[in-house]
Amino acid sequence: MRIFKQQLMDGIVRLGGTALLLISLGCVVGPKYHPPANQAPAAVYKESPAQFKETGGWTVAQARGCQAARKWWEIFNDAELKRS
């Protein structure tokens, strides 16, 4: 019985030592991570006022005060919208 207890204790110690070794090895994964620096991309526009002739007449939108004050549904000239 005494030999059995000694073998059991030796097995538990070996198992515990192995577990501690595996756990400590699992903590070391690789080099310390450094996130890359954020850099905003350069602004690139497909169309600009400088390219007016090449873009087929497209222009940059301009706000109109008088149209903003009108009833928005009248812009579409739709009888269904005007009715409601």
Side-chain angles (χ1 to χ4, degrees):
M1 184 78 164
R2 185 177 175 142
I3 295 175
F4 177 72
K5 285 183 180 180
Q6 184 63 35
Q7 287 177 344
L8 181 63
M9 288 302 291
D10 286 345
I12 290 173
V13 169
R14 285 184 182 155
L15 182 64
T18 305
L20 283 174
L21 178 67
L22 290 175
I23 288 171
S24 67
L25 289 176
C27 294
V28 181
V29 176
K32 189 163 181 80
Y33 177 72
H34 298 287
N38 292 336
Q39 294 179 352
V44 178
Y45 297 101
K46 288 177 130 182
E47 299 158 349
S48 69
Q51 300 169 335
F52 180 74
K53 293 178 184 176
E54 295 87 20
T55 58
W58 288 95
T59 60
V60 177
Q62 300 293 324
R64 293 186 188 173
C66 62
Q67 275 200 341
R70 281 192 343 184
K71 298 177 183 174
W72 64 268
W73 55 89
E74 291 179 354
I75 296 171
F76 299 106
N77 293 326
D78 186 15
E80 184 71 26
L81 289 174
K82 287 181 182 179
R83 188 171 55 96
S84 53

